[in-house]
Amino acid sequence: MTADPVVDPANWSCPAPLRDQPVVVMGHGGGGALSAELVEQVFIPAYGNATLAAMADSAVLELGGARLAFSTDSHVVRPLFFPGGSLGDLAVNGTVNDLAMSGARPAYLSAAFVLEEGVELSVVERIARAMGTAAEAAGVTIATGDTKVVESGHGDGVYVTTAGVGLVPDGVDIRPQRARPGDAVIVSGPIGLHGVAIMSVREGLEFGIEIASDTAPLAGLVAAMLDVTPDVHVLRDPTRGGLAASLNEIARASGTGVRLSERAIPVPDAVAGACGFLGLDPLYVANEGRLVAFVPRPAAEAVLAAMRAHPQGTGATLIGECVTEHPGMVVVSTGLGGTRVVDLPLGEQLPRIC
Amino acid sequence: MKYIDEFNDPDLARRLLDEIHATATRPWALMEVCGGQTHSIIRHGIDQLLPEQVELIHGPGCPVCVTPLDVIDKALEIASRPGVIFCSFGDMLRVPGTDRDLFRVKGEGGDVRVVYSPLDALELARKHPDREVVFFAIGFETTAPANAMAVHQARRLGLANFSLLVSHVRVPPAVEAIMSAPQCRVQGFLAAGHVCSVMGTAEYPELAERFGVPLVVTGFEPLDILEGIRRAVRQLERGEHRVENAYARAVREDGNPAALRMIQEVFEVADRNWRGIGRIPRSGWRLSEAFRAYDAEHRFDVGGIRTEEPAECRSGEVLQGLIKPTECAAFGTTCTPRTPLGATMVSSEGACAAYYLYRRMNSPMPQAARAAREEMNPVA
């Protein structure tokens, strides 16, 4: 066990070596501190450019006079089909949502498949069809693709990587650094459904009622919000690492504090029950069809109304505000009147012993 | 969920808090025995709402925290062996042994799996007769019955490829050890409700009498904990010291007889080391002679492991309620959940981890962290 001076994980931007982790562990893909450390300490130094270092869900690039949002995402999920969706839905919605979180109108996607030898073609077909349907629903075209096959035992059935481009409207500047004290923090609906749905089928756990993933495209919802005000400061879809990870990233990138009201956060009973049973915190559970928005306070009510009028935002709720106190930190007021910090998760959440 | 929500009701909580404020006239120090209670107290901010006179001291009841380093090293050694499927509850995977943890073993190719029940591990043994399946059987009286059941079933099914790495601990000897320490400040206990739901309350009256402390059996929801505190403070103010059951919806005086029978059939009481505290006589269980064949320590010959804890770690004092986590010089500086020096920072139920995760805004920020944050956000 090491006893040398170390860095607070809350400040993973410090260019320290990857301590104690000579091999990749599952937590490196969990969307928490370990994932961020991998990007900051391995990928950004290797690629060396400011666009990537902005660490937004998608990069916003100037090209031929247009402002283009560009993003890519690999999708590995077990099982391939789950209540409420499939790998195909995630592969399309994931990239569409990453583009939408820059305020972009997504236009074109690519789709690259890595198939494992022995997978039934009917499975691949079901995934491809799900992608076609999801693309149509999101208003995007899958314009190019690639297929590779790996030997049996060298993959997990099917992996899909999608990349996408979209146009960012004039006057829209949405990025984590723009959060300001006084901003209202809004979540578009109930949290935790996707993560609990996947857990219930992957681990064979039953929670009394079927919980369906919330996977959905969010570009339409974002467009409805921007119709109310182009001055939305920050958007983020809280996927891996959940709401807690997204809010921590925004707090740190902007140097502001975030204060939430625990009782205002919409956690469905089924999610709360499953999390209670497993010793997990719904704030850290993954979502695939939700967004969190930071909007200037004067516009908050109008934005909320527009969100609630959209099918993907009927459950939109004001959950907190951006503050000058505790910069870089997310703090929640508990239902009883106490307070606690909501930290960036280290890796993936682990079920507790009892 | 309605049932659970009722135990979070802020109006009822306010009424209990008012009563505690009105009752406490002198300083009292109560210990919550269980890490789950500590977690709930810190998570809901209950300690912030109590009167100044009522101090909560965090007890040793975190199973992840008290599992000794040598047992963790044995787990790592067994999990690294080819042909082994090593099964564990999730929160043991990040606990560091002397030079690595179970996640590292998994990353290096070991077959380490998270299970939700020892019976899941048993099922793996049934499906993989050519592999040795080992379950990491840690915990208090709460997890012991299911672990005992798994071994019982393995024998009934004739599964010779299943074994347990056992590190079970018992609460009453720990209470006795805490109260016997000369520096002990604890005046009353919130006894762990789920432990009592298995074991009943028969072991406690003698302890309450001998040490002159109230023991209130307490659950885990915010109102459970406030009710436990209310009753303990009321007893202390009246000069009483007896066992009270404030968790009657789950705990009967005679516990769970079927679970007790299963424990008695499979385990026998033994002396055991507690990480950070040391050896406590008769404070653990090991597999009894009749089930010794299912003991992974015998099957895998891991007796030669020697370990050393970091000298600056004060987790033993935290576990005994002698200091608060923030009183340790290493807290939040050299010791964080990412680089824990001691068990109490490792487990999500550990007192140091709870303070680190939920209370950092009250702690002075370490100089290095402040500099990094300022560099990152020059505007802020």
Side-chain angles (χ1 to χ4, degrees):
Chain A
M1 214 180 294
T2 176
D4 52 333
V6 291
V7 179
D8 181 342
N11 295 284
W12 40 257
S13 65
C14 181
L18 282 174
R19 282 169 292 101
D20 307 328
Q21 298 291 351
V23 296
V24 171
V25 296
M26 289 305 289
H28 282 120
L34 286 176
S35 298
E37 196 168 273
L38 185 69
V39 173
E40 296 241 338
Q41 297 176 12
V42 175
F43 295 129
I44 290 180
Y47 304 159
N49 68 71
T51 306
L52 184 60
M55 296 281 285
D57 281 345
S58 58
V60 177
L61 315 164
E62 300 274 348
L63 193 65
R67 285 171 75 219
L68 209 60
F70 179 38
S71 185
T72 186
D73 209 344
S74 291
H75 301 272
V76 293
V77 64
R78 194 164 40 87
L80 298 171
F81 304 93
F82 47 82
S86 69
L87 173 66
D89 298 296
L90 294 186
V92 169
N93 292 336
T95 295
V96 163
N97 292 347
D98 282 348
L99 295 171
M101 294 310 114
S102 298
R105 293 177 190 137
Y108 296 102
L109 300 189
S110 71
F113 281 74
V114 176
L115 305 174
E116 185 182 3
E117 184 184 31
V119 168
E120 289 177 21
L121 276 179
S122 62
V123 168
V124 181
E125 190 182 4
R126 274 179 75 191
I127 292 168
R129 279 198 184 151
M131 290 178 70
T133 306
E136 194 180 346
V140 295
T141 303
I142 300 176
T144 182
D146 180 50
T147 308
K148 297 283 187 294
V149 177
V150 294
E151 285 176 26
S152 178
H154 289 247
D156 209 1
V158 183
Y159 300 147
V160 181
T161 299
T162 50
V165 290
L167 283 173
V168 182
D170 286 341
V172 169
D173 180 15
I174 297 173
R175 51 199 164 88
Q177 290 79 2
R178 288 199 70 219
R180 293 284 175 273
D183 281 357
V185 179
I186 295 169
V187 68
S188 66
I191 63 164
L193 287 163
H194 176 74
V196 170
I198 292 290
M199 221 177 310
S200 66
V201 283
R202 183 186 295 170
E203 311 293 351
L205 300 171
E206 290 174 15
F207 301 118
I209 57 169
E210 185 175 278
I211 300 171
S213 168
D214 51 27
T215 181
L218 296 170
L221 177 63
V222 170
M225 296 165 72
L226 293 175
D227 280 347
V228 175
T229 171
D231 193 26
V232 172
H233 287 166
V234 188
L235 291 172
R236 200 90 179 184
D237 63 332
T239 52
R240 293 167 310 160
L243 198 59
S246 291
L247 292 174
N248 269 283
E249 284 160 10
I250 295 165
R252 286 168 198 188
S254 61
T256 62
V258 173
R259 186 163 60 216
L260 305 176
S261 164
E262 187 166 58
R263 293 190 89 77
I265 300 169
V267 180
D269 282 354
V271 171
C275 287
F277 175 68
L278 295 170
L280 306 178
D281 187 335
L283 290 176
Y284 294 92
V285 175
N287 312 275
E288 287 291 343
R290 297 285 173 257
L291 62 79
V292 60
F294 284 54
V295 296
R297 195 68 187 81
E301 290 307 322
V303 169
L304 265 174
M307 291 174 79
R308 287 175 183 152
H310 190 278
Q312 302 304 340
T314 51
T317 310
L318 182 77
I319 57 168
E321 60 183 338
C322 200
V323 295
T324 49
E325 298 89 43
H326 49 78
M329 229 178 240
V330 180
V331 170
V332 64
S333 306
T334 71
L336 299 191
T339 53
R340 68 182 160 95
V341 174
V342 176
D343 204 4
L344 191 70
L346 190 59
E348 293 192 62
Q349 279 201 102
L350 296 167
R352 288 205 332 243
I353 174 173
C354 59
Chain B
M1 281 313 295
K2 187 171 180 300
Y3 191 56
I4 295 296
D5 285 344
E6 285 165 0
F7 289 92
N8 282 289
D9 186 316
D11 295 332
L12 289 173
R14 176 45 56 197
R15 263 185 264 164
L16 285 171
L17 278 163
D18 287 346
E19 203 175 327
I20 295 166
H21 277 263
T23 309
T25 62
R26 280 175 285 164
W28 299 116
L30 305 176
M31 174 176 274
E32 82 276 3
V33 172
C34 169
Q37 292 168 328
T38 304
H39 189 83
S40 190
I41 287 163
I42 305 292
R43 190 177 189 284
H44 294 283
I46 289 172
D47 55 329
Q48 299 166 328
L49 305 170
L50 291 173
E52 260 179 38
Q53 298 101 309
V54 179
E55 182 191 359
L56 292 177
I57 296 176
H58 313 307
C62 164
V64 175
C65 297
V66 299
T67 302
L69 192 55
D70 67 300
V71 177
I72 311 261
D73 281 350
K74 286 172 185 170
L76 297 168
E77 164 67 23
I78 293 169
S80 303
R81 296 197 183 177
V84 168
I85 300 175
F86 192 87
C87 302
S88 170
F89 293 124
D91 49 2
M92 289 304 290
L93 265 66
R94 273 198 205 111
V95 183
T98 299
D99 60 2
R100 57 193 175 148
D101 59 24
L102 283 168
F103 262 125
R104 173 86 72 86
V105 170
K106 186 169 188 284
E108 289 169 348
D111 193 347
V112 177
R113 304 194 192 186
V114 172
V115 294
Y116 296 89
S117 154
L119 298 175
D120 294 342
L122 196 70
E123 182 60 19
L124 282 169
R126 207 182 54 75
K127 277 190 190 156
H128 300 280
D130 54 329
R131 310 273 298 276
E132 282 286 337
V133 175
V134 182
F135 179 71
F136 201 175
I138 72 152
F140 284 76
E141 291 92 332
T142 44
T143 51
N147 294 344
M149 172 64 90
V151 169
H152 179 86
Q153 285 280 76
R155 190 165 73 173
R156 198 175 65 80
L157 297 169
L159 290 173
N161 63 330
F162 179 78
S163 58
L164 297 184
L165 179 60
V166 180
S167 188
H168 273 301
V169 283
R170 300 170 58 232
V171 165
V175 169
E176 188 175 350
I178 287 162
M179 290 311 298
S180 303
Q183 331 80 310
C184 176
R185 299 189 298 121
V186 179
Q187 294 162 293
F189 284 92
L190 306 181
H194 56 0
V195 166
C196 296
S197 70
V198 174
M199 303 303 293
T201 56
E203 294 175 283
Y204 292 132
E206 192 266 332
L207 290 171
E209 185 60 35
R210 178 148 52 111
F211 296 106
V213 289
L215 282 144
V216 182
V217 178
T218 305
F220 300 87
E221 299 303 329
L223 290 191
D224 286 325
I225 289 166
L226 288 172
E227 174 63 8
I229 294 168
R230 187 186 73 85
R231 292 199 195 193
V233 169
R234 190 177 57 183
Q235 279 199 48
L236 287 165
E237 289 282 345
R238 291 175 179 172
E240 297 170 353
H241 49 80
R242 57 196 161 75
V243 177
E244 269 190 84
N245 183 2
Y247 197 38
R249 70 181 189 277
V251 172
R252 296 188 333 196
E253 196 179 341
D254 61 346
N256 180 333
L260 283 169
R261 270 199 303 278
M262 188 52 68
I263 290 173
Q264 282 156 5
E265 182 186 337
V266 172
F267 293 125
E268 63 190 21
V269 171
D271 297 349
R272 189 155 280 284
N273 282 327
W274 293 50
R275 189 172 190 178
I277 295 179
R279 198 159 193 82
I280 303 178
R282 298 181 57 75
S283 69
W285 277 309
R286 65 179 175 204
L287 286 162
S288 61
E289 194 59 45
F291 288 87
R292 203 56 55 82
Y294 297 93
D295 188 338
E297 288 200 48
H298 289 274
R299 195 174 291 196
F300 291 91
D301 185 26
V302 283
I305 285 171
R306 293 286 172 271
T307 56
E308 199 175 338
E309 297 275 7
E312 70 262 52
C313 176
R314 300 180 69 186
S315 65
E317 291 164 86
V318 172
L319 285 165
Q320 292 171 75
L322 302 177
I323 61 166
K324 286 272 191 299
T326 46
E327 290 172 51
C328 173
F331 177 83
T333 54
T334 54
C335 183
T336 69
R338 178 67 200 277
T339 54
L341 292 178
T344 46
M345 186 61 95
V346 173
S347 161
S348 58
E349 285 188 14
C352 294
Y355 271 71
Y356 186 87
L357 290 175
Y358 297 145
R359 286 298 157 73
R360 234 161 345 125
M361 73 269 197
N362 299 336
S363 310
M365 198 185 289
Q367 183 61 39
R370 194 182 305 122
R373 183 160 289 162
E374 280 163 9
E375 187 185 332
M376 195 174 163
N377 299 303
V379 188

